Amino acid sequence: MITPAATTTLTTGQAAARLTEFTVVDVRSPGEYTGGHLPGAHNVPLERLDEAADALTAAAARGPLLLVCASGNRSAKGCARLAARNVAAATLDGGTNAWAAAGHPVERPAGARTPWPMDRQVRLAAGTLVAAGFAAGRFWRPAHWLSGAIGAGLVFSGVTNTCGMAAVLARLPHNRPTGEVASFEETLARLAA
């Protein structure tokens, strides 16, 4: 039986001091990635991590991996998934938000725009749907079910630490990358080389 690899959580100061040692992998959506990422980071969205497992294993064989996201939640999930494959990876405490707040540099592709952070998009969408269900329910009683369904989805999201709404929102046009960004296939080739 293979023992899962250990996961390490680094502060922004620790990560900054050792950044050149790491292969940095940003597990956010491509749109979030183009909004600003750690220098030299490769974009492998969390939902495509299993597709990238071989390339990430090859990269980890050459040196340590640092997984990052906006706040540290998704990168911690990514580290756990890699650990189950016996691939060690560190995660950045507080993610790119903490990195930028600490004054460390972020890269943006030329011509890229910065979309709202995914958690803010989810709060806006959920709040809008709940308010719409409530308002419409005053005129057509079954519309209250919309508010109930969104509430149930948020409870499920909290219990399972997943977010279906974020997965849907990530596919919207305003969350697609802008500017010059490597394709997923190019990213895998760079990680495997």
Side-chain angles (χ1 to χ4, degrees):
M1 180 175 173
I2 295 175
T3 305
T7 299
T8 304
T9 301
L10 301 177
T11 65
T12 57
Q14 292 169 322
R18 297 179 49 206
L19 192 62
T20 58
E21 298 173 28
F22 290 104
T23 297
V24 182
V25 178
D26 193 317
V27 296
R28 296 176 298 162
S29 72
E32 290 175 288
Y33 170 82
T34 60
H37 54 270
L38 272 68
H42 302 276
N43 185 220
V44 178
L46 184 61
E47 63 272 6
R48 300 192 76 180
L49 199 66
D50 293 331
E51 292 176 63
D54 291 340
L56 291 170
T57 301
R62 291 188 308 276
L65 295 179
L66 175 63
L67 270 56
V68 298
C69 65
S71 65
N73 273 343
R74 286 177 280 180
S75 58
K77 287 181 189 178
C79 285
R81 285 169 55 184
L82 289 175
R85 294 177 176 267
N86 205 32
V87 176
T91 182
L92 180 61
D93 187 34
T96 54
N97 293 339
W99 178 267
H104 299 297
V106 294
E107 292 180 347
R108 288 180 180 84
R113 61 177 157 62
T114 305
W116 282 4
M118 190 55 66
D119 64 323
R120 184 176 180 191
Q121 292 182 48
V122 167
R123 290 192 310 264
L124 176 67
T128 300
L129 290 170
V130 168
F134 177 78
R138 296 188 40 86
F139 304 104
W140 185 56
R141 191 98 175 111
H144 281 285
W145 285 103
L146 175 62
S147 298
I150 297 300
L154 291 171
V155 169
F156 179 79
S157 176
V159 169
T160 63
N161 201 22
T162 62
C163 188
M165 188 177 288
V168 171
L169 290 172
R171 290 181 171 83
L172 293 177
H174 66 274
N175 283 321
R176 293 201 182 116
T178 57
E180 298 176 22
V181 179
S183 71
F184 182 69
E185 293 72 22
E186 290 172 312
T187 299
L188 292 184
R190 290 178 186 168
L191 286 168

